[in-house]
Amino acid sequence: MASGGLCRFAADLPTVERFVSLGEGDTPCIELSVLAKRLGLRRLSAKMESQNPTGSYKDRIAAMSLSLALQHGHPGWIGTSSGNAGLSMAAYGTRAGMSGFLCMVATAPQEKRLALLPYAVEVVSIDGVGREGTARVATALMEQVRLAAEQQNLFLGITAHAFNPSGMRGVDTIGYELAEQTPDATHVYVPTGGGGLLSAIARGLLHRDMPAKVIACQPSGCAPIVAFLDGTSDAPAMSRCDSDISALQLPHPPDGTLAATAVETSGGWGTAPDDAAILEAQRLLAKTEGVFVEPASAASLAAVFHDVDRGRLQPTDRPVLVLTGAGWKDLARFEADDARVPLITVDDVASRVDKWCSSL
C-alpha cells in the first residue's frame, strides 16, 4: 500500500501491518484574514479537510478502517452514510481490493450519490433518515447494519465511536496536525452531527497537550448536543430533525454523550446557528476568502459569527474552523444562481466587459 497519509502517526494509532492510503491528511491550515478583520478577531484560521482525496475528513476514518479491515481479514465492509463517509469508504475499500455495502440517506445531495457510482460498492437508498428523519428510524438502521456486519463478518464502517472506535482513531490526526500548525489556537470550531469528529479531534488535541477550547457547531433545527450542553435537554438526543444541512441531520447522535464530555473537558461550549446563517456563511467564505465548502463545513463559521455577536469570543482570541467537506458535494442550492447567468452573443462580449469594468 502507499506510504504517507496516516502512517506518519502510526505510533499513536491502532497497530496495522500496512496502511491503506490515498494521500489523506496533512491538510493545510490557512489564514482567513478578510473574515478575521470583519469579525474583529486577531486571527482566524481554517483547517482545510475539504482537501483530502475524496473531499472530506472522512478519508482519515476510511484509511484507518480499511487498514484494520485488512488486518483482521474481513471479506468486505458495510456502513451508513449521508454521503461523505460512503464516498471515502468506497474509494479506500476499492484501494484495498475490498467490496462494500452502503446504506445511503435518501435525501443526500445528488453529487454525493453520483460520485459513488464508479466504485466497487453496492448502494441502497434508505428512506426515513436525514431531513425530517426520526431518532427511531436512524437507530433502527444502525442496528440492522450492525447485525449484518456481525452475521457476515463484514467490517462495520459506521463512522462513530459507538460502532467503530478503532477506525475513528484516524480523526485524532486532525488534532495532532492542529497542534503542529496552530499551537496558539484558543478555540477549535467543529461542525457536529453524530459527535464522532469532535470527540476524536478533542482527543487528539489532549494527546498533544494543546489547551484549545472545543466548540460543537450544530444547526438549530438539529442540535441535540448543543441543547444538552446548554442545559435545555436532559440528554444529547431529540426525537426529530428539522434542518436541511446535510451531514448534520442526526437527532440521536451515536457519540453525543462522548462529544458533550469532550466539549466540557476542554472548557468549550455548543453553538447552534440556524440554517439561513449557515448557508450565508458558506457564500461568505467563497466570496471573501475563495474557500468553497459544503454547508455542513460552514456551520463552524456561522457559529463564530454567532459567538462574536454574543461576546463569547474576544478580539484577542484565535479560533480555528474545521472545514469538513468540499463545496462540490452539495451544488443544488446554486441552481437559481445558474439560471441567472446571461446568454449573449460573441458580438456582445466587449460591451458586457465595459459595463462590468464601470462597476469596479
Side-chain angles (χ1 to χ4, degrees), residues 49-283:
E49 287 300 291
S50 54
Q51 292 192 21
N52 276 298
T54 76
S56 87
Y57 80 94
K58 299 278 189 175
D59 288 352
R60 297 178 188 259
I61 305 172
M64 191 73 253
S65 294
L66 269 301
S67 300
L68 289 163
L70 285 180
Q71 181 78 10
H72 298 297
H74 293 281
W77 62 268
I78 186 170
T80 64
S81 179
S82 60
N84 287 338
L87 182 54
S88 293
M89 290 295 291
Y92 282 78
T94 301
R95 182 75 166 168
M98 186 177 295
S99 296
F101 188 100
L102 180 66
C103 296
M104 184 83 164
V105 173
T107 57
Q110 185 182 37
E111 294 80 9
K112 293 182 178 181
R113 294 197 305 274
L114 293 178
L116 282 164
L117 301 183
Y119 295 100
V121 58
E122 179 79 9
V123 182
V124 295
S125 189
I126 306 296
D127 196 18
V129 290
R131 179 70 165 95
E132 297 185 352
T134 65
R136 182 190 64 79
V137 175
T139 301
L141 170 61
M142 291 186 184
E143 180 61 14
Q144 288 285 324
V145 171
R146 186 193 68 77
L147 287 172
E150 183 179 293
Q151 292 167 0
Q152 300 295 331
N153 190 32
L154 301 172
F155 184 88
L156 183 56
I158 296 176
T159 55
H161 291 84
F163 301 98
N164 181 15
S166 294
M168 291 298 295
R169 291 289 308 284
V171 187
D172 293 25
T173 58
I174 297 177
Y176 301 160
E177 291 171 20
L178 285 173
E180 296 171 348
Q181 295 168 322
T182 59
D184 61 339
T186 56
H187 303 74
V188 179
Y189 277 73
V190 185
T192 306
L197 170 65
L198 184 148
S199 305
I201 289 177
R203 182 172 58 226
L205 294 173
L206 192 63
H207 190 61
R208 290 295 194 262
D209 297 318
M210 184 172 168
K213 296 178 173 64
V214 180
I215 315 303
C217 311
Q218 296 191 291
S220 58
C222 194
I225 296 171
V226 175
F228 178 68
L229 288 167
D230 288 347
T232 57
S233 174
D234 293 334
M238 56 195 300
S239 60
R240 174 188 171 105
C241 172
D242 188 24
S243 171
D244 284 319
I245 307 302
S246 176
L248 303 184
Q249 299 167 315
L250 284 87
H252 196 288
D255 293 329
T257 300
L258 193 64
T261 299
V263 169
E264 292 172 335
T265 299
S266 76
W269 58 80
T271 299
D274 61 26
D275 282 15
I278 292 171
L279 296 177
E280 176 57 28
Q282 180 194 25
R283 287 182 178 271

